Coordinates of all heavy atoms in Angstrom, one line a residue:
V14 N -2.5 6.2 21.1 CA -3.1 5.8 19.9 C -4.0 7.0 19.4 O -4.9 7.4 20.2 CB -3.9 4.5 19.8 CG1 -4.6 4.3 18.5 CG2 -3.0 3.4 20.2
V15 N -3.8 7.4 18.2 CA -4.6 8.5 17.8 C -5.5 8.0 16.5 O -4.9 7.3 15.7 CB -3.9 9.6 17.2 CG1 -4.6 10.7 16.4 CG2 -3.0 10.3 18.3
T16 N -6.8 8.1 16.5 CA -7.6 7.7 15.5 C -8.3 8.8 14.8 O -8.8 9.7 15.5 CB -8.7 6.8 16.1 OG1 -8.2 5.7 16.8 CG2 -9.6 6.1 15.0
M17 N -8.2 8.9 13.4 CA -8.8 10.1 12.8 C -10.2 9.7 12.6 O -10.7 8.7 12.4 CB -8.2 10.1 11.4 CG -6.9 10.7 11.2 SD -6.3 11.1 9.6 CE -5.6 9.5 9.1
L18 N -11.0 10.9 12.7 CA -12.5 10.7 12.6 C -12.9 10.9 11.1 O -14.0 10.4 10.7 CB -13.1 11.7 13.5 CG -12.9 11.6 15.0 CD1 -13.5 12.5 15.8 CD2 -13.4 10.2 15.5
T19 N -12.2 11.6 10.4 CA -12.4 11.7 9.0 C -11.1 11.4 8.2 O -9.9 11.7 8.7 CB -12.9 13.1 8.5 OG1 -11.9 14.1 9.0 CG2 -14.2 13.5 9.3
V20 N -11.4 10.8 7.0 CA -10.1 10.5 6.2 C -9.6 11.6 5.4 O -10.5 12.3 4.7 CB -10.5 9.2 5.5 CG1 -9.2 8.9 4.5 CG2 -11.0 8.1 6.2
P21 N -8.3 12.0 5.4 CA -8.0 13.1 4.5 C -8.0 12.7 3.2 O -7.9 11.6 2.8 CB -6.6 13.4 5.1 CG -6.2 12.1 5.7 CD -7.3 11.4 6.2
S22 N -8.0 13.7 2.3 CA -8.0 13.5 0.9 C -6.7 12.9 0.4 O -5.6 13.3 0.8 CB -8.4 14.7 0.1 OG -7.5 15.7 0.3
I23 N -6.6 12.2 -0.7 CA -5.3 11.8 -1.4 C -5.3 12.6 -2.7 O -6.2 12.8 -3.4 CB -5.4 10.3 -1.7 CG1 -5.4 9.5 -0.4 CG2 -4.3 9.9 -2.6 CD1 -5.5 8.1 -0.6
T24 N -4.1 13.3 -2.8 CA -4.0 14.2 -4.0 C -3.9 13.4 -5.3 O -4.6 13.8 -6.2 CB -2.6 15.0 -3.7 OG1 -2.8 15.7 -2.5 CG2 -2.5 16.0 -4.8
S25 N -3.1 12.3 -5.3 CA -3.0 11.5 -6.5 C -2.6 10.0 -6.1 O -2.0 9.9 -5.1 CB -2.2 12.1 -7.6 OG -0.7 12.1 -7.1
V26 N -3.1 9.2 -7.1 CA -2.6 7.7 -6.9 C -2.4 7.3 -8.3 O -2.9 7.6 -9.2 CB -3.8 6.8 -6.4 CG1 -3.4 5.4 -6.4 CG2 -4.1 7.3 -4.9
S27 N -1.1 6.5 -8.5 CA -0.8 6.0 -9.8 C -0.5 4.5 -9.5 O 0.0 4.1 -8.5 CB 0.2 6.7 -10.5 OG 1.5 6.6 -9.9
L28 N -0.7 3.7 -10.6 CA -0.2 2.3 -10.5 C 0.4 2.0 -11.8 O -0.1 2.3 -12.9 CB -1.5 1.5 -10.4 CG -1.3 -0.1 -10.6 CD1 -0.4 -0.6 -9.4 CD2 -2.7 -0.8 -10.5
T29 N 1.7 1.3 -11.7 CA 2.3 1.0 -13.0 C 2.6 -0.5 -12.9 O 3.1 -0.9 -11.9 CB 3.6 1.8 -13.1 OG1 3.4 3.3 -12.9 CG2 4.5 1.4 -14.3
Q30 N 2.2 -1.3 -13.9 CA 2.4 -2.7 -14.0 C 3.9 -3.0 -14.5 O 4.3 -2.3 -15.6 CB 1.4 -3.3 -14.8 CG 1.6 -4.8 -14.9 CD 0.3 -5.4 -15.7 OE1 -0.7 -4.8 -15.8 NE2 0.5 -6.8 -15.9
G31 N 4.6 -3.8 -13.9 CA 5.9 -4.2 -14.3 C 6.1 -5.0 -15.6 O 6.9 -4.9 -16.3
S32 N 4.9 -5.9 -15.9 CA 5.0 -6.7 -16.9 C 3.6 -6.9 -17.4 O 2.6 -6.9 -16.7 CB 5.6 -8.1 -16.6 OG 5.4 -9.1 -17.6
G33 N 3.5 -6.9 -18.8 CA 2.2 -7.1 -19.4 C 2.0 -8.5 -20.0 O 1.1 -8.9 -20.7
V34 N 2.9 -9.5 -19.6 CA 2.9 -10.9 -20.2 C 1.8 -11.7 -19.3 O 1.8 -11.7 -18.1 CB 4.2 -11.6 -19.9 CG1 4.3 -13.0 -20.4 CG2 5.4 -10.8 -20.6
N35 N 0.9 -12.3 -20.2 CA -0.2 -13.2 -19.7 C 0.5 -14.2 -18.9 O 1.4 -14.9 -19.2 CB -1.0 -13.8 -20.7 CG -2.3 -13.0 -21.1 OD1 -2.6 -12.0 -20.3 ND2 -2.8 -13.2 -22.2
G36 N -0.2 -14.5 -17.7 CA 0.3 -15.7 -16.8 C 1.5 -15.2 -16.0 O 1.8 -16.1 -15.1
A37 N 2.1 -14.2 -16.2 CA 3.2 -13.8 -15.5 C 2.8 -13.2 -14.0 O 1.7 -12.8 -13.9 CB 4.1 -12.7 -16.2
S38 N 3.7 -13.2 -13.1 CA 3.4 -12.7 -11.8 C 4.2 -11.3 -11.9 O 5.4 -11.2 -11.2 CB 4.0 -13.5 -10.7 OG 3.3 -14.7 -10.6
P39 N 3.6 -10.2 -12.3 CA 4.3 -8.9 -12.4 C 4.4 -8.2 -11.0 O 3.8 -8.5 -10.0 CB 3.5 -8.2 -13.4 CG 2.0 -8.7 -13.1 CD 2.3 -10.1 -12.7
T40 N 5.4 -7.3 -11.1 CA 5.4 -6.3 -9.9 C 4.7 -5.1 -10.3 O 4.4 -4.8 -11.4 CB 6.9 -5.9 -9.6 OG1 7.4 -5.4 -10.8 CG2 7.8 -7.2 -9.2
Y41 N 4.1 -4.4 -9.3 CA 3.5 -3.2 -9.5 C 4.1 -2.0 -8.7 O 4.5 -2.3 -7.5 CB 2.0 -3.4 -9.0 CG 1.1 -4.3 -9.9 CD1 1.1 -5.7 -9.5 CD2 0.5 -3.9 -11.0 CE1 0.4 -6.6 -10.3 CE2 -0.3 -4.8 -11.7 CZ -0.3 -6.1 -11.5 OH -1.0 -7.0 -12.2
T42 N 4.1 -0.9 -9.3 CA 4.5 0.3 -8.5 C 3.4 1.1 -8.2 O 2.7 1.6 -9.1 CB 5.6 1.0 -9.3 OG1 6.8 0.2 -9.6 CG2 6.1 2.3 -8.5
F43 N 3.1 1.3 -6.9 CA 2.1 2.3 -6.4 C 2.7 3.5 -5.9 O 3.6 3.5 -5.2 CB 1.3 1.7 -5.2 CG 0.4 0.5 -5.6 CD1 0.9 -0.8 -5.5 CD2 -0.9 0.6 -5.9 CE1 0.2 -2.0 -5.9 CE2 -1.8 -0.3 -6.2 CZ -1.1 -1.7 -6.1
T44 N 2.2 4.7 -6.4 CA 2.5 5.9 -6.0 C 1.4 6.7 -5.4 O 0.4 6.8 -6.1 CB 3.2 6.8 -7.1 OG1 4.3 6.0 -7.7 CG2 3.7 8.1 -6.6
V45 N 1.4 7.2 -4.2 CA 0.4 7.8 -3.5 C 0.9 9.1 -3.0 O 2.0 9.2 -2.3 CB -0.1 7.0 -2.3 CG1 -1.2 7.7 -1.5 CG2 -0.7 5.6 -2.7
V46 N 0.2 10.1 -3.3 CA 0.6 11.5 -2.9 C -0.6 11.9 -1.9 O -1.7 12.1 -2.5 CB 0.6 12.4 -4.0 CG1 0.9 13.9 -3.4 CG2 1.8 12.0 -5.0
P47 N -0.4 12.0 -0.6 CA -1.4 12.3 0.4 C -1.7 13.8 0.5 O -0.8 14.6 0.0 CB -0.9 11.8 1.8 CG 0.7 11.9 1.6 CD 0.9 11.6 0.1
G48 N -2.8 14.2 0.9 CA -3.3 15.6 1.1 C -2.8 16.2 2.4 O -2.8 17.4 2.6
I49 N -2.1 15.2 3.3 CA -1.6 15.8 4.5 C -0.3 15.1 4.8 O 0.1 14.2 4.1 CB -2.5 15.4 5.7 CG1 -2.6 13.9 5.8 CG2 -3.8 16.2 5.6 CD1 -3.4 13.4 7.2
S50 N 0.4 15.6 5.8 CA 1.8 15.0 6.0 C 1.7 13.7 6.7 O 0.7 13.5 7.5 CB 2.5 15.9 7.0 OG 3.0 17.1 6.4
L51 N 2.4 12.7 6.3 CA 2.3 11.4 6.9 C 3.3 11.4 8.1 O 4.4 12.1 8.1 CB 2.6 10.3 5.9 CG 1.7 10.2 4.8 CD1 2.1 9.1 3.7 CD2 0.3 9.8 5.3
Q52 N 3.1 10.4 9.0 CA 3.8 10.3 10.3 C 4.5 8.8 10.2 O 4.0 8.0 9.5 CB 3.1 10.5 11.4 CG 2.4 11.8 11.6 CD 3.3 12.9 11.6 OE1 4.3 12.9 12.4 NE2 3.0 14.0 10.8
N53 N 5.6 8.7 11.0 CA 6.3 7.4 11.1 C 5.1 6.4 11.7 O 4.3 6.7 12.5 CB 7.4 7.5 12.0 CG 8.2 6.3 12.0 OD1 8.6 5.8 11.0 ND2 8.7 5.8 13.1
N54 N 5.2 5.2 11.1 CA 4.2 4.1 11.5 C 2.8 4.3 11.0 O 1.8 3.6 11.4 CB 4.3 3.9 12.9 CG 5.4 3.1 13.3 OD1 5.9 2.2 12.8 ND2 6.0 3.6 14.5
D55 N 2.5 5.3 10.2 CA 1.3 5.3 9.5 C 1.0 4.2 8.7 O 1.9 3.4 8.3 CB 1.0 6.6 8.5 CG 0.7 8.0 9.4 OD1 0.4 7.8 10.5 OD2 0.7 8.9 8.7
I56 N -0.3 3.7 8.6 CA -0.7 2.6 7.8 C -1.6 2.9 6.5 O -2.5 3.7 6.8 CB -1.5 1.6 8.7 CG1 -0.5 1.2 9.8 CG2 -2.0 0.4 8.1 CD1 -1.3 0.3 11.1
L57 N -1.3 2.2 5.6 CA -2.0 2.3 4.2 C -2.7 0.8 4.0 O -1.9 0.0 4.0 CB -1.1 2.7 3.1 CG -1.8 2.6 1.7 CD1 -2.8 3.9 1.7 CD2 -0.8 2.9 0.7
L58 N -4.0 0.9 3.9 CA -4.6 -0.4 3.6 C -5.0 -0.5 2.0 O -5.6 0.3 1.7 CB -6.0 -0.6 4.4 CG -5.8 -0.8 5.9 CD1 -7.0 -0.9 6.6 CD2 -4.8 -1.9 6.2
M59 N -4.5 -1.5 1.5 CA -4.7 -1.7 0.1 C -5.7 -2.9 -0.2 O -5.3 -4.0 0.2 CB -3.4 -1.9 -0.7 CG -2.5 -0.6 -0.6 SD -0.8 -0.9 -1.2 CE -1.0 -1.8 -2.7
T60 N -6.8 -2.6 -0.8 CA -7.7 -3.7 -1.1 C -7.9 -3.9 -2.4 O -8.1 -3.1 -3.3 CB -9.1 -3.3 -0.5 OG1 -9.1 -3.0 0.8 CG2 -10.2 -4.4 -0.7
F61 N -7.7 -5.2 -2.9 CA -7.6 -5.7 -4.2 C -8.9 -6.3 -4.7 O -9.5 -7.0 -3.7 CB -6.5 -6.7 -4.5 CG -5.1 -6.0 -4.2 CD1 -4.6 -5.9 -3.1 CD2 -4.4 -5.5 -5.3 CE1 -3.3 -5.3 -2.9 CE2 -3.2 -4.8 -5.2 CZ -2.6 -4.7 -3.9
P62 N -9.3 -6.3 -5.9 CA -10.5 -7.1 -6.3 C -10.4 -8.6 -6.0 O -9.2 -9.1 -6.0 CB -10.6 -6.9 -7.8 CG -9.7 -5.7 -8.0 CD -8.7 -5.7 -7.0
S63 N -11.4 -9.2 -5.6 CA -11.5 -10.7 -5.3 C -10.9 -11.5 -6.3 O -10.3 -12.7 -6.2 CB -12.9 -11.2 -4.8 OG -13.8 -11.0 -5.9
E64 N -10.9 -11.1 -7.7 CA -10.4 -11.8 -8.7 C -8.9 -11.8 -8.9 O -8.2 -12.5 -9.6 CB -10.9 -11.3 -10.1 CG -12.5 -11.2 -10.3 CD -13.1 -10.1 -9.6 OE1 -12.4 -9.1 -9.2 OE2 -14.3 -10.2 -9.5
T65 N -8.2 -10.9 -8.0 CA -6.8 -10.8 -8.0 C -6.1 -11.8 -7.1 O -6.7 -12.1 -6.0 CB -6.4 -9.3 -7.5 OG1 -7.2 -8.4 -8.3 CG2 -4.9 -9.2 -7.6
T66 N -5.1 -12.5 -7.4 CA -4.4 -13.3 -6.5 C -3.3 -12.5 -5.9 O -2.4 -12.1 -6.5 CB -3.7 -14.6 -7.3 OG1 -4.7 -15.2 -8.0 CG2 -3.0 -15.4 -6.4
V67 N -3.4 -12.3 -4.6 CA -2.4 -11.5 -3.8 C -1.4 -12.6 -3.1 O -1.9 -13.5 -2.6 CB -3.1 -10.7 -2.7 CG1 -2.2 -9.9 -1.9 CG2 -4.2 -9.7 -3.4
P68 N -0.1 -12.3 -3.3 CA 0.8 -13.2 -2.7 C 0.6 -13.2 -1.2 O 0.3 -12.4 -0.6 CB 2.2 -12.6 -2.9 CG 2.0 -11.2 -3.5 CD 0.6 -11.2 -3.9
S69 N 0.9 -14.6 -0.6 CA 0.5 -14.7 0.8 C 1.7 -14.0 1.6 O 1.5 -13.7 2.8 CB 0.7 -16.3 1.2 OG 1.8 -16.8 0.8
T70 N 2.8 -13.8 1.0 CA 3.9 -13.0 1.7 C 4.2 -11.7 0.7 O 5.2 -11.9 0.0 CB 5.1 -13.8 1.9 OG1 4.7 -15.0 2.6 CG2 6.2 -13.1 2.8
P71 N 3.4 -10.7 0.8 CA 3.7 -9.6 -0.1 C 4.9 -8.9 0.4 O 5.5 -8.9 1.4 CB 2.5 -8.7 0.1 CG 1.9 -9.2 1.5 CD 2.2 -10.5 1.6
S72 N 5.6 -8.3 -0.6 CA 6.8 -7.6 -0.3 C 6.7 -6.0 -0.9 O 6.0 -5.8 -1.7 CB 8.0 -8.2 -1.1 OG 7.9 -8.1 -2.5
C73 N 7.3 -5.2 -0.1 CA 7.2 -3.8 -0.4 C 8.7 -3.3 -0.4 O 9.5 -3.7 0.3 CB 6.4 -3.1 0.7 SG 4.6 -3.4 0.7
T74 N 8.9 -2.2 -1.2 CA 10.1 -1.5 -1.3 C 9.8 -0.1 -1.1 O 8.8 0.4 -1.7 CB 10.7 -1.7 -2.7 OG1 11.0 -3.1 -3.0 CG2 12.1 -1.0 -2.8
A75 N 10.5 0.6 -0.1 CA 10.3 2.0 0.1 C 10.7 2.9 -1.1 O 11.7 2.6 -1.6 CB 11.0 2.4 1.4
G76 N 9.9 4.0 -1.1 CA 10.2 4.9 -2.2 C 11.2 5.9 -1.7 O 11.8 5.7 -0.5
S77 N 11.5 6.9 -2.3 CA 12.5 7.8 -2.0 C 12.4 8.5 -0.7 O 13.4 8.9 0.0 CB 12.8 8.9 -3.2 OG 11.6 9.5 -3.3
S78 N 11.2 8.8 -0.3 CA 10.9 9.6 0.9 C 10.7 8.7 2.2 O 10.6 9.2 3.2 CB 9.7 10.5 0.7 OG 8.5 9.7 0.5
L79 N 10.7 7.3 2.0 CA 10.7 6.4 3.1 C 11.9 5.7 3.4 O 12.8 5.4 2.5 CB 9.6 5.4 2.7 CG 8.2 5.8 2.5 CD1 7.3 4.6 2.1 CD2 7.5 6.3 3.8
S80 N 12.1 5.4 4.7 CA 13.2 4.6 5.0 C 12.9 3.1 4.8 O 13.7 2.2 4.4 CB 13.7 4.7 6.6 OG 12.7 4.4 7.4
S81 N 11.6 2.8 5.1 CA 11.2 1.3 4.8 C 9.6 1.3 4.7 O 8.9 2.1 5.3 CB 11.6 0.4 5.9 OG 11.0 0.6 7.1
A82 N 9.1 0.2 4.2 CA 7.7 -0.1 4.1 C 7.5 -1.5 4.4 O 8.1 -2.3 3.6 CB 7.2 0.4 2.8
V83 N 6.6 -1.9 5.4 CA 6.5 -3.2 5.8 C 5.1 -3.7 5.3 O 4.1 -3.1 5.7 CB 6.7 -3.4 7.3 CG1 6.5 -4.9 7.7 CG2 8.2 -2.9 7.7
C84 N 5.1 -4.7 4.5 CA 3.8 -5.2 4.1 C 3.4 -6.5 4.7 O 4.2 -7.3 4.9 CB 3.9 -5.5 2.5 SG 3.8 -3.9 1.5
T85 N 2.1 -6.6 5.0 CA 1.4 -7.8 5.8 C 0.2 -8.1 5.1 O -0.6 -7.2 4.8 CB 1.2 -7.4 7.2 OG1 2.5 -7.0 7.8 CG2 0.9 -8.8 8.0
L86 N -0.1 -9.4 4.8 CA -1.4 -9.7 4.3 C -2.4 -9.9 5.5 O -2.2 -10.7 6.3 CB -1.3 -11.1 3.6 CG -2.5 -11.6 2.8 CD1 -2.8 -10.7 1.7 CD2 -2.2 -13.0 2.3
L87 N -3.4 -9.1 5.4 CA -4.5 -9.2 6.4 C -5.6 -10.0 6.2 O -6.2 -10.8 7.0 CB -5.1 -7.7 6.7 CG -4.1 -6.7 7.2 CD1 -4.9 -5.4 7.5 CD2 -3.4 -7.2 8.5
S88 N -6.0 -10.3 4.8 CA -7.0 -11.2 4.3 C -6.6 -11.6 3.0 O -5.7 -10.9 2.3 CB -8.4 -10.5 4.5 OG -8.5 -9.5 3.5
P89 N -7.3 -12.4 2.3 CA -6.9 -12.8 0.9 C -6.7 -11.7 -0.1 O -6.1 -11.8 -0.9 CB -8.1 -13.7 0.6 CG -8.5 -14.4 1.8 CD -8.4 -13.2 2.9
N90 N -7.5 -10.6 0.3 CA -7.3 -9.4 -0.8 C -6.9 -8.1 -0.2 O -7.1 -7.0 -0.8 CB -8.6 -9.3 -1.6 CG -9.8 -8.9 -0.8 OD1 -9.9 -9.2 0.3 ND2 -10.7 -8.3 -1.5
V91 N -6.5 -8.1 1.1 CA -6.0 -6.8 1.8 C -4.6 -6.9 2.3 O -4.2 -7.8 2.9 CB -7.0 -6.5 2.9 CG1 -6.5 -5.2 3.6 CG2 -8.4 -6.4 2.5
I92 N -3.9 -5.9 1.8 CA -2.5 -5.8 2.3 C -2.4 -4.5 3.1 O -2.9 -3.4 2.8 CB -1.6 -5.7 1.2 CG1 -1.5 -7.0 0.3 CG2 -0.1 -5.3 1.6 CD1 -0.6 -7.0 -1.0
R93 N -1.8 -4.7 4.3 CA -1.5 -3.4 5.1 C 0.0 -3.1 4.9 O 0.8 -3.9 4.9 CB -1.5 -3.8 6.6 CG -1.3 -2.6 7.6 CD -1.4 -3.0 8.9 NE -0.3 -4.1 9.4 CZ -0.3 -4.8 10.4 NH1 -1.4 -4.8 11.2 NH2 0.6 -5.7 10.6
V94 N 0.3 -1.7 4.6 CA 1.5 -1.3 4.4 C 1.9 -0.3 5.5 O 1.2 0.7 5.7 CB 1.6 -0.5 3.1 CG1 3.0 -0.1 2.9 CG2 1.2 -1.4 1.9
R95 N 2.8 -0.6 6.4 CA 3.3 0.3 7.6 C 4.4 1.1 6.9 O 5.4 0.6 6.5 CB 3.7 -0.5 8.7 CG 4.1 0.4 9.9 CD 4.4 -0.4 11.1 NE 3.2 -1.2 11.6 CZ 2.4 -0.8 12.3 NH1 2.2 0.4 12.7 NH2 1.4 -1.6 12.7
L96 N 4.3 2.5 7.0 CA 5.3 3.4 6.5 C 6.2 3.9 7.6 O 5.8 4.3 8.7 CB 4.5 4.6 5.8 CG 3.5 4.4 4.8 CD1 2.7 5.6 4.4 CD2 4.0 3.6 3.7
M97 N 7.6 3.8 7.2 CA 8.6 4.1 8.2 C 9.4 5.4 7.6 O 9.9 5.2 6.4 CB 9.6 3.1 8.6 CG 9.0 1.7 8.9 SD 8.2 1.8 10.5 CE 7.7 0.1 10.7
F98 N 9.5 6.4 8.2 CA 10.3 7.4 7.8 C 11.6 7.6 8.4 O 11.9 7.2 9.5 CB 9.6 8.8 7.9 CG 8.2 8.8 7.2 CD1 7.1 8.5 7.6 CD2 8.4 9.5 5.8 CE1 5.9 8.5 6.8 CE2 7.2 9.4 5.1 CZ 6.1 9.0 5.6

């Protein structure tokens, strides 16, 4: 197990909402560009505001550079995303 002592910078982050309909359960597209190369099984923790309702079984879809992304709910407002290349 390797643990980083300092967190590398993130070059850019974007969030796109799939639907703007009030009361709907929209999908969101997160795009993250890291400042360093990522490795297989790296983990991204996403913390949402407490006012947000996070699904108990979140789902993730891998982007073009990933083979898969596995999402797990760690607490009512934290999702862990395991990246697979």
Side-chain angles (χ1 to χ4, degrees):
V14 174
V15 175
T16 302
M17 286 192 270
L18 299 176
T19 59
V20 179
S22 64
I23 293 176
T24 304
S25 70
V26 176
S27 66
L28 170 66
T29 306
Q30 184 176 344
S32 170
V34 177
N35 263 347
S38 296
T40 57
Y41 292 90
T42 301
F43 289 91
T44 304
V45 178
V46 179
I49 62 169
S50 296
L51 296 174
Q52 303 298 312
N53 194 44
N54 287 316
D55 274 354
I56 294 172
L57 175 66
L58 295 177
M59 298 171 45
T60 303
F61 295 87
S63 59
E64 300 82 12
T65 305
T66 302
V67 179
S69 58
T70 309
S72 64
C73 291
T74 303
S77 60
S78 61
L79 297 172
S80 63
S81 68
V83 179
C84 288
T85 307
L86 187 65
L87 294 183
S88 69
N90 66 330
V91 178
I92 295 177
R93 177 183 65 198
V94 183
R95 183 176 300 277
L96 307 173
M97 313 285 187
F98 293 92

